[in-house]
């Protein structure tokens, strides 16, 4: 005889349900801020934020436990809104130390870190040449931004590779070390308003490279470009551009400047560059494909794009993740890694083998002790706002494993910052805190948010405090 137990939920007023998500649980956990593969191995390095301390951690794929690399140092870059804290190349990690703002080098095998830049200004987004000789990086000092370069041992005083614009980001060096790519823009624009992708030839005959005058490859007035990456043979340059009205992946032939597009309108493959060195795609080690983060209606997924056929294939081992904050590829032909989460899963570092469709959790931000039955899954919704305009958002119904309510629940409307940000379907501790107590939560992606095309983003231009407020009010009425 099989005994079946049926759990009966307790009926209690919405908004007054007991919840396992206490304020302590909500505030707990570590930040996972960035990931990078070593170019000589499958060692994976990520940045953990621990109570204000940024620590690099390495997993060397040996079966041994991950190790801290930079415990004496606080790893954090401070150019603009931050980001671009570190990179990994040739069995070494290169990072920016908070406070001194200097670039350091530390061996993945362990040992003390060595400073390679002097202590003035602020550094960000280090990019190491394939031969390991020199490091290009974003440098700002006395309100002047540049692309600078230093040798990887720190024997020479840094020199300037690029200047003449108000802001720079995302420097990249070609595999043969003979070209430099970067993105620049000027006041009063932000990088998602108008920015330009430049390429310069490099003369490597001296102790440090010298850059020739740059040539513009993509972007310009009312066009945003994002994240240049060289192909594995250095003949092509990939980037994201919203020239068509959507963030599409482009590929530029550097011999003739011809551009072909790898993705179509209707799906976003870019993101507003609020911070340095953000990544939404990675060139796979085989050089024949790209792993890219596709965004639709606040839900993100990873697709693999075959560069010969143009075929898009969803990466199924990563399908449970609906928000991806970073993606990188290893030097082999099969491995990628992401920082991702979903509405019931706190952020994780996940490595994925594209050949055998397996994945492995490398690091977790929390102890993952919460029952998913107590967590709410979002629904992408749209509604009519003022003047017949369409607004978007994510709706979280009240959810609790042991309680149910009667009547209608109270609604809590949350407005993201930005304005060109987006509420996405990843882990949101503050949302779950209220939804598990019987609140309905609406996260409004008001007109001006990203993720719905450039035209939608521009609707808030000149309308701050108008369109965003109208969309919040109409969202409440829609509920």
């Amino acid at each position: 005889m099989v005994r079946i137990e049926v759990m009966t939920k307790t009926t209690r007023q919405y908004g007054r349900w007991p919840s396992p998500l206490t304020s302590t649980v909500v505030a707990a956990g570590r930040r996972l801020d960035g990931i990078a593969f070593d170019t000589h191995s499958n060692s994976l390095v990520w940045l953990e934020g621990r109570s204000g301390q940024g620590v690099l951690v390495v997993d060397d794929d040996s079966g041994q436990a991950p190790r801290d690399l930079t415990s004496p140092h606080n790893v954090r870059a401070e150019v603009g809104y931050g980001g671009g804290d570190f990179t990994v190349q040739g069995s070494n990690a290169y990072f920016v130390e908070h406070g001194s703002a200097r670039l350091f080098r530390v061996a993945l095998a362990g040992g003390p870190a060595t400073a390679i830049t002097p202590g003035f200004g602020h550094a960000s987004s280090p990019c190491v040449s394939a031969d390991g000789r020199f490091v290009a990086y974003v440098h700002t000092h006395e309100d002047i931004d540049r692309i600078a370069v230093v040798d990887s041992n720190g024997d020479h005083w840094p020199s300037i590779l690029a200047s003449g614009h108000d802001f720079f980001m995302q420097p990249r060096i070609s595999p043969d070390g003979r070209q430099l790519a970067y993105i620049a823009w000027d006041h009063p624009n932000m990088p998602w308003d108008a920015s330009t992708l430049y390429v310069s030839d490099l003369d490597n005959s001296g102790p440090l490279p010298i850059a020739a005058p740059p040539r513009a490859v993509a972007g310009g007035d009312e066009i945003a470009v994002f994240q240049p990456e060289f192909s594995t043979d250095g003949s092509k340059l990939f980037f994201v551009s919203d020239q068509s009205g959507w963030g599409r992946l482009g590929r530029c032939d550097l011999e003739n400047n011809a551009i072909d597009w790898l993705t179509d309108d209707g799906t976003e493959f870019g993101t507003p560059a609020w911070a340095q060195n953000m990544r939404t795609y990675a060139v796979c080690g085989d050089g024949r494909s790209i792993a890219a983060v596709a965004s639709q209606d606040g839900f993100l997924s990873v697709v693999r794009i075959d560069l010969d056929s143009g075929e898009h294939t969803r990466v199924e081992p990563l399908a449970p993740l609906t928000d991806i904050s970073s993606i990188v590829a290893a030097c082999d032909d099969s491995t990628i890694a992401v920082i991702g989460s979903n509405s019931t899963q706190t952020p994780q570092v996940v490595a994925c083998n594209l050949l055998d469709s397996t994945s492995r959790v490398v690091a977790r931000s929390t102890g993952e002790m919460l029952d998913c039955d107590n967590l709410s899954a979002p629904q992408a919704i749209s509604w009519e706002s003022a003047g017949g305009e369409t607004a978007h958002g994510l709706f979280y119904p009240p959810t609790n494993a042991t309680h149910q309510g009667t009547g209608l629940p109270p609604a809590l409307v949350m407005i993201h910052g930005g304005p060109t940000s987006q509420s996405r379907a990843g882990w949101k501790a503050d949302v779950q805190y209220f939804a598990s107590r019987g609140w309905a939560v609406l996260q409004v992606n008001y007109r001006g948010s990203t993720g719905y095309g450039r035209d939608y983003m521009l609707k808030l231009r000149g309308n701050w405090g108008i369109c965003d407020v109208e969309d919040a009010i109409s969202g409440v009425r829609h509920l």
Side-chain angles (χ1 to χ4, degrees):
M1 180 177 179
V2 178
R3 182 179 179 182
I4 300 176
E5 293 186 2
V6 179
M7 178 179 291
T8 301
K9 290 189 175 184
T10 301
T11 300
R12 189 170 181 178
Q13 181 181 348
Y14 279 112
R16 297 181 62 84
W17 299 344
S19 169
L21 271 82
T22 64
S23 55
T24 301
V25 171
V26 169
R30 296 169 292 175
R31 296 191 322 276
L32 301 174
D33 287 334
I35 48 176
F37 275 109
D38 180 32
T39 54
H40 289 185
S41 67
N42 269 8
S43 294
L44 183 62
V45 179
W46 63 93
L47 177 61
E48 293 186 359
R50 306 173 183 170
S51 301
Q53 178 85 1
V55 179
L56 290 183
V57 184
V58 60
D59 177 81
D60 59 12
D61 203 26
S62 66
Q64 302 296 318
R67 295 180 291 103
D68 288 359
L69 281 175
T70 58
S71 294
H73 305 271
N74 187 358
V75 179
R76 191 173 79 196
E78 296 177 278
V79 173
Y81 291 108
D85 307 283
F86 75 101
T87 192
V88 184
Q89 165 77 23
S91 301
N92 290 285
Y94 298 79
F95 65 89
V96 181
E97 181 188 55
H98 174 59
S100 73
R102 302 175 74 182
L103 273 176
F104 282 75
R105 186 191 74 249
V106 64
L108 298 186
T114 302
I116 63 173
T117 59
F120 74 97
H122 292 276
S124 176
S125 304
C127 176
V128 189
S129 60
D131 60 10
R133 287 179 51 211
F134 58 89
V135 185
Y137 60 100
V138 177
H139 183 265
T140 183
H141 181 58
E142 296 179 342
D143 295 326
I144 299 176
D145 279 19
R146 306 176 178 92
I147 301 292
V149 63
V150 68
D151 65 283
S152 57
N153 290 323
D155 294 330
H156 300 275
W157 190 264
S159 63
I160 299 171
L161 281 179
S163 61
H165 293 280
D166 293 329
F167 304 101
F168 293 85
M169 68 179 181
Q170 300 170 330
R172 300 289 189 266
I173 302 169
S174 62
D176 62 6
R178 298 170 67 177
Q179 294 185 93
L180 170 74
Y182 58 88
I183 289 173
W185 70 101
D186 297 296
H187 280 304
N189 292 306
M190 297 296 273
W192 51 84
D193 292 320
S195 46
T196 304
L197 170 58
Y198 293 97
V199 175
S200 291
D201 294 328
L202 295 179
D203 178 355
N204 295 307
S205 58
L208 290 176
I210 299 173
R215 65 184 187 276
V217 171
D221 292 341
E222 294 297 315
I223 300 173
V225 284
F226 176 82
Q227 193 193 341
E229 302 289 352
F230 285 97
S231 61
T232 52
D233 65 2
S235 66
K236 308 290 193 303
L237 186 64
F238 302 100
F239 59 92
V240 179
S241 168
D242 67 0
Q243 179 177 343
S244 71
W246 291 84
R248 295 188 299 166
L249 264 169
R251 174 175 54 187
C252 177
D253 188 320
L254 292 173
E255 183 175 347
N256 56 26
N257 285 339
I259 296 174
D260 61 303
W261 300 99
L262 306 175
T263 61
D264 298 324
D265 288 347
T267 302
E268 280 287 345
F269 285 88
T271 191
W274 276 100
Q276 288 278 337
N277 211 32
M278 299 171 69
R279 297 171 183 266
T280 60
Y281 72 94
V283 181
C284 296
D286 59 9
R288 300 189 299 270
S289 60
I290 282 179
V293 179
S295 174
Q296 287 186 314
D297 297 324
F299 287 77
L300 278 62
S301 61
V302 179
V303 297
R304 189 178 189 183
I305 303 172
D306 187 283
L307 294 176
D308 292 327
S309 67
E311 180 182 4
H312 290 213
T313 306
R314 187 177 184 183
V315 180
E316 290 300 331
L318 300 178
L321 303 176
T322 53
D323 190 13
I324 309 293
S325 62
S326 188
I327 183 169
V328 292
C331 57
D332 65 21
D333 62 356
S334 62
T335 309
I336 63 172
V338 302
I339 298 177
S341 69
N342 61 38
S343 62
T344 62
Q345 172 63 64
T346 54
Q348 299 176 328
V349 175
V350 182
C352 175
N353 188 304
L354 298 174
L355 294 183
D356 60 16
S357 295
T358 59
S359 62
R360 176 174 68 97
V361 177
V362 181
R364 293 175 167 87
S365 59
T366 69
E368 300 180 4
M369 302 297 290
L370 295 171
D371 185 349
C372 290
D373 290 339
N374 283 309
L375 303 174
S376 181
Q379 306 163 15
I381 65 172
S382 301
W383 62 91
E384 183 177 317
S385 189
E389 295 276 1
T390 299
H392 304 281
L394 294 174
F395 175 71
Y396 292 77
T399 304
N400 191 291
T402 60
H403 284 72
Q404 63 185 1
T406 59
L408 295 176
L412 181 65
V413 177
M414 292 185 170
I415 312 297
H416 66 69
T420 51
S421 185
Q422 182 189 24
S423 292
R424 307 195 304 209
W427 172 252
K428 299 289 177 61
D430 53 352
V431 171
Q432 300 294 353
Y433 179 90
F434 288 100
S436 61
R437 285 170 165 75
W439 289 74
V441 180
L442 174 63
Q443 291 201 309
V444 181
N445 282 321
Y446 49 81
R447 284 169 288 166
S449 303
T450 45
Y452 304 92
R454 183 176 177 90
D455 287 346
Y456 191 79
M457 179 192 74
L458 293 178
K459 288 183 181 296
L460 197 61
R461 185 180 286 181
N463 293 306
W464 283 31
I466 300 174
C467 292
D468 41 1
V469 174
E470 289 174 345
D471 293 351
I473 294 172
S474 60
V476 172
R477 291 171 177 163
H478 175 74
L479 295 185

